[in-house]
Amino acid sequence: MPSHPRRSRLRRGLLAALVAASVAVPLAGAAGPGAVPAPAPAVRAPLRTATPEALAERYAATRADIGAAERAAARHGDHKRAAALHTMAGPARSFLSFDGRDGGRGVEVVGDLSHAERIAVLVPGAGIGIDHYWRLRNGALALRKELGERSAVIAWLGYRTPTTVGPAALTPGRATEAAPGLVRFMEELRRIKPEARTTVLCHSYGSVLCAHAAHGLRVAGIVLYGSPGTGYRNASALHTTATVWAGRGRDDWIADVPHVELRLPFVDIGFGTDPVSPGFGAEIFAAGSGGHSDYLKTGSEPLRNIARIVAGAAGSAKAPGEHHA
């Protein structure tokens, strides 16, 4: 079927933006977002066990780190940031780690990690930091409810995400920097929960990060959704034993992003092969008719199918007619 004229114009416009970014990125690379001051978190040894007692101790200690960041934000006069941090420091929240500096990092557990038999780790895309963390948490809550008992969802905001509209979102730089941290976290999780079935769920720019980390992720599955591409030609190039899944909603604007990769003297622009294309070789799950932010929306088709993949019942999640090896 020929491309819709509006989509063709959008593709040409986005391709022009990619080329323009090749000039902007080297000049803007040193400029970072204005960060609200926050103290460095306490240095803690990796978790050695996932007993309820050990986890409760870690959650309490991290709550103190969030509280310190809240007080720093209040002194700075950023009451919106302070309010967000106050909510995150609530007694019902369970953070394994937190760092309020430079836009914020955090790893939050939704559910009972100690007794979880199925674990999903959410890796967010562009535009997620402390001030918009609620978006990531809402997805984690919806997925945990869909999965039910004996499951846990971990919201992994372990890197400085690029802004949604900006040159950093068009290059693999942030993903390359963050990949070793994701690998280290997943190794720690595997040590404390070796018997759990673990799946990594990667949204939008987060799929670029997951692709760069894939060779070091010993997990059951890697799920790419709303992906602009990964920077790799096909799933085999990820060098992972995990089953690679991909899905895209019919109204997701990411479909109009040109799947090109430009290698320039200072930077690579774009992410290449579309993960839902037959040539990429991923298993395709039915992602419904929603948009870019709808994959973990309560009651949605992609949420149900992503939960099936996490639970190990992936057969019913496949899109009709998809039979990739």
Side-chain angles (χ1 to χ4, degrees):
M1 180 181 294
S3 298
H4 190 284
R6 184 185 67 82
R7 289 197 168 188
S8 295
R9 289 194 298 272
L10 181 56
R11 285 191 179 96
R12 289 196 295 270
L14 288 170
L15 184 57
L18 291 177
V19 176
S22 69
V23 177
V25 170
L27 298 177
V36 178
V43 177
R44 298 185 178 88
L47 279 169
R48 301 298 180 188
T49 177
T51 63
E53 296 77 16
L55 291 173
E57 182 179 352
R58 171 60 64 89
Y59 297 154
T62 306
R63 196 170 295 121
D65 290 334
I66 302 173
E70 176 193 347
R71 292 188 291 274
R75 288 194 299 268
H76 185 69
D78 192 324
H79 300 296
K80 179 181 177 182
R81 173 68 61 84
L85 291 167
H86 183 77
T87 299
M88 295 170 76
R93 304 289 288 272
S94 303
F95 280 84
L96 291 170
S97 65
F98 179 83
D99 187 341
R101 298 172 295 176
D102 195 21
R105 318 280 193 279
V107 179
E108 183 177 14
V109 177
V110 177
D112 182 359
L113 181 59
S114 181
H115 297 101
E117 298 172 357
R118 301 171 300 278
I119 301 172
V121 178
L122 303 186
V123 179
I128 302 297
I130 290 176
D131 295 330
H132 297 97
Y133 177 78
W134 57 270
R135 297 176 183 170
L136 179 60
R137 175 170 167 80
N138 283 353
L141 289 169
L143 180 58
R144 171 61 175 76
K145 185 176 180 180
E146 187 72 25
L147 286 168
E149 296 300 317
R150 296 286 178 175
S151 65
V153 178
I154 298 176
W156 187 86
L157 179 58
Y159 76 116
R160 182 165 64 98
T161 65
T163 58
T164 303
V165 180
L170 302 175
T171 74
R174 299 281 177 90
T176 303
E177 293 171 2
L182 178 59
V183 171
R184 285 194 299 271
F185 172 74
M186 296 304 298
E187 278 297 301
E188 180 179 349
L189 182 61
R190 191 182 66 82
R191 285 195 299 270
I192 64 173
K193 294 292 297 181
E195 302 303 322
R197 177 185 173 85
T198 303
T199 307
V200 181
L201 310 179
C202 317
H203 179 235
S204 194
Y205 188 87
S207 64
V208 184
L209 195 169
C210 288
H212 281 76
H215 67 280
L217 302 180
R218 288 187 275 182
V219 294
I222 298 173
V223 184
L224 315 173
Y225 53 103
S227 174
T230 64
Y232 293 86
R233 186 170 63 180
N234 52 45
S236 295
L238 302 184
H239 298 296
T240 178
T241 58
T243 301
V244 179
W245 289 84
R248 185 172 64 223
R250 286 193 295 276
D251 287 340
D252 190 342
W253 59 262
I254 206 77
D256 294 314
V257 171
H259 290 284
V260 297
E261 189 172 10
L262 306 177
R263 297 188 180 277
L264 301 167
F266 297 102
V267 68
D268 293 343
I269 304 291
F271 306 110
T273 309
D274 186 346
V276 300
S277 67
F280 189 78
E283 297 281 3
I284 306 301
F285 70 90
S289 60
H292 194 62
S293 301
D294 296 335
Y295 292 93
L296 299 181
K297 185 176 180 180
T298 299
S300 69
E301 182 179 7
L303 175 66
R304 288 193 299 270
N305 286 329
I306 288 171
R308 287 167 179 155
I309 293 169
V310 173
S316 56
K318 288 187 179 183
E322 297 294 342
H323 301 289
H324 296 155

